[in-house]
């Protein structure tokens, strides 16, 4: 066994050290949830903990005669892209569903539910009629021509929707998945709210099934930034969450019906490709014998594909994912860490299911027990938090050495709470974007795009491939950090 594999699959050390200090997963968890408060759009609540942010985009939806305030800014810009926002909320909800007890033990369950609710409240506003969903507010090209904090925005805030004439099954189904997952998350805490979420989820799933098509054909301004490669994965993902939320066999029938196009073995779980997520939810139900006699041989295809993805991640499969020199899973130069964090959630969730059912993972490269899977997850999380060749944490605000000049408008411009003078569209580039100094506001908990395959990272606002954080990056890590902090 190579030294790299020995590190990954050897017995996990009780304490790992970064810059001479043990990794504090609890602090990383707390910061990960603070990040979502920094990304909030709309009227901020009185208990807002990120004090450098202020109210913004208070007239969103006005051009359409609808209240579309709230929701999340996607990344370092000021656009509300509904497609990745919905995926983010699904990931946050999954974290709560799987790791509720661990979040509670770390006193972060309330903050996790608040992060979910900020998104789901917005989705329900955007879904005023069964077959109408607003999927974007703001527009990427005009937004990217300005460097402005959200509180000063002068760029257009046009609202874009899908409906029966201009459908978008991927957007509708992903939003259905987010609302269904959130319904499960809230069921034990607010049954009325959970039921409300479920009603919207069912309507959106019906909309997606009855009116197929890619959402960017209807919301063309999205294609350059978050174009979708298909909608069958979102429908399957939504059906899996609706089955979990309702136990209604109608959704199981849909899953069985689609098993011949179950996605095969995927290489990522991402805002554009949800097959792995659906496959894992179905595989876990099979492990736990939760289909109550309704198992079919067709469902095993989902399990096989889910397990092959995990085997490939842990370097025991037929098509192993690349690793950087320092041992980080590697897919691509642009925002690679988004794929790492989703992989850690999938592997952690499945490891716990294997453990609970006294099973192990059968890979081409040998059997792997649940502890080995968690050890691998820790290797990836520890890399992100600073156990890497650069000794740099890729979570902003965590540790002493982390990215100082992240590509993020709000963080990079002096807070409106400190200086109320408006910062104009081009003035922001001159005074703040091009300034060779740390951002005045620390974007706690943000996961940046991350290092290259040689473990190098250039800390520069202009290096958006590596230095821009996004809401989808941090969301899967919330549950994983809770799991590690409580273990």
């Amino acid at each position: 066994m190579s030294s790299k594999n020995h590190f990954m699959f050897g017995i996990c050390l009780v304490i790992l050290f970064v810059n001479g200090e043990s990794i504090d997963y609890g602090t990383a968890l707390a910061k990960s949830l603070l990040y979502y408060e920094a990304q909030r759009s709309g009227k901020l609540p009185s208990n807002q903990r990120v004090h450098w942010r202020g109210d913004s985009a208070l007239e969103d939806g006005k051009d359409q005669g609808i209240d579309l305030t709230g929701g999340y800014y996607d990344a370092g810009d000021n656009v509300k892209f509904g497609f990745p926002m919905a995926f983010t909320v699904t990931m946050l909800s999954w974290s709560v569903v799987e790791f509720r007890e661990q979040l509670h033990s770390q006193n972060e369950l309330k903050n996790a539910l608040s992060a979910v609710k900020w998104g789901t409240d917005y989705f329900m506003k955007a879904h005023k009629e069964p077959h109408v969903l607003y999927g974007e507010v703001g527009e990427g090209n005009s937004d990217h021509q300005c460097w402005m904090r959200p509180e000063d925005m002068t760029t257009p805030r046009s609202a874009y929707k899908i409906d029966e004439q201009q459908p978008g099954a991927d957007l509708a189904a992903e939003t259905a998945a987010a609302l269904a997952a959130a319904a499960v998350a809230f069921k034990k805490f607010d049954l009325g709210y959970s039921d409300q979420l479920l009603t919207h989820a069912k309507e959106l799933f019906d909309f997606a099934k009855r009116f197929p098509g890619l959402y960017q054909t209807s919301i063309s301004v999205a294609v350059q930034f978050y174009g979708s490669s298909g909608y069958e994965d979102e429908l399957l993902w939504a059906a899996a969450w609706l089955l979990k939320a309702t136990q209604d066999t109608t959704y199981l029938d849909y899953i069985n019906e689609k098993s011949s196009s179950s996605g095969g073995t995927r290489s990522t779980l991402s805002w554009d490709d949800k097959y792995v997520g659906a496959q894992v939810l179905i595989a876990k139900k099979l492990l736990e014998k939760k289909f109550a006699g309704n198992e079919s041989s067709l469902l095993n295809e989902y399990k096989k594909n889910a397990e092959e993805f995990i085997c490939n991640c842990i370097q025991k499969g037929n098509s192993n994912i690349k690793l950087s020199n320092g041992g980080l899973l590697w897919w691509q130069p642009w925002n690679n860490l988004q794929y790492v964090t989703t992989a850690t959630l999938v592997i952690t969730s499945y490891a716990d299911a294997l453990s609970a059912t006294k099973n192990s993972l059968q890979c081409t490269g040998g059997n792997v027990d649940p502890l080995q899977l968690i050890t691998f997850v820790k290797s990836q999380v520890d890399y992100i938090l600073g156990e890497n060749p650069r000794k740099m944490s890729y979570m902003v605000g965590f540790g002493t050495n982390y990215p100082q000049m992240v590509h993020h408008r709000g963080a990079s411009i002096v807070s409106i709470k400190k200086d109320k003078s408006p910062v104009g569209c081009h003035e922001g580039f001159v005074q703040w974007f091009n300034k060779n100094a740390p951002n005045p506001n620390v974007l706690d908990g943000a996961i940046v795009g991350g290092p290259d395959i040689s473990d190098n990272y250039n800390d520069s606002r202009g290096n958006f491939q590596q230095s821009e954080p996004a809401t989808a990056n941090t969301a899967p890590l919330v549950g994983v950090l809770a799991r590690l902090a409580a273990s």
Side-chain angles (χ1 to χ4, degrees), residues 396-474:
V396 178
F398 184 82
T400 55
N401 181 26
Y402 54 82
Q404 301 290 314
M405 292 189 277
V406 297
H407 182 97
H408 188 278
R409 287 157 177 75
S412 70
I413 301 173
V414 65
S415 169
I416 197 163
K417 302 289 185 67
K418 288 189 175 179
D419 185 348
K420 295 192 183 302
S421 307
V423 177
C425 173
H426 300 297
E427 184 186 351
F429 283 109
V430 176
Q431 292 189 0
W432 297 102
F433 179 82
N434 295 323
K435 190 174 185 177
N436 188 21
N439 289 346
N441 309 303
V442 178
L443 192 64
D444 279 318
I447 302 289
V448 295
D452 63 20
I453 197 166
S454 301
D455 306 291
N456 295 316
Y457 180 83
N458 175 23
D459 189 12
S460 162
R461 275 176 220 103
N463 178 24
F464 51 85
Q465 287 194 348
Q466 289 187 309
S467 73
E468 185 170 17
T471 54
N473 296 15
T474 298

Side-chain angles (χ1 to χ4, degrees), residues 260-282:
S260 60
S261 56
S262 63
T265 303
R266 314 305 287 182
S267 61
T268 63
L269 170 61
S270 74
W271 59 263
D272 182 37
D273 190 338
K274 321 297 166 36
Y275 277 116
V276 169
Q279 290 164 357
V280 166
L281 291 182
I282 295 161

Side-chain angles (χ1 to χ4, degrees), residues 46 48 68 79 81 87 90 145 159 178 274 314 325 415 420 470 474:
S46 58
Q48 171 84 7
L68 292 176
V79 183
F81 291 103
F87 178 69
T90 314
Q145 289 167 20
K274 321 297 166 36
I314 64 172
N325 297 336
S415 169
K420 295 192 183 302
T474 298

Side-chain angles (χ1 to χ4, degrees), residues 182-196:
V184 180
F186 272 97
K187 192 168 187 177
K188 290 184 183 298
F189 306 101
D190 187 338
L191 188 56
Y193 189 69
S194 176
D195 288 345
Q196 194 181 357

Side-chain angles (χ1 to χ4, degrees), residues 80-101:
K80 295 194 302 203
F81 291 103
F83 194 45
M85 193 196 305
F87 178 69
T88 294
V89 171
T90 314
M91 291 289 103
L92 287 170
S93 299
W94 193 359
S95 290
V96 174
V97 170
E98 293 273 342
F99 306 108
R100 183 180 72 245
E101 294 302 322

Side-chain angles (χ1 to χ4, degrees), residues 32-41 44-45 47-51 53 72 111 114-115:
S32 72
L33 288 164
L34 273 176
Y35 169 59
Y36 289 95
E37 296 194 18
Q39 292 300 113
R40 284 171 170 169
S41 180
L44 300 184
N47 63 352
Q48 171 84 7
R49 297 176 297 160
V50 178
H51 299 300
R53 280 296 323 282
Y72 289 111
N111 291 324
S114 292

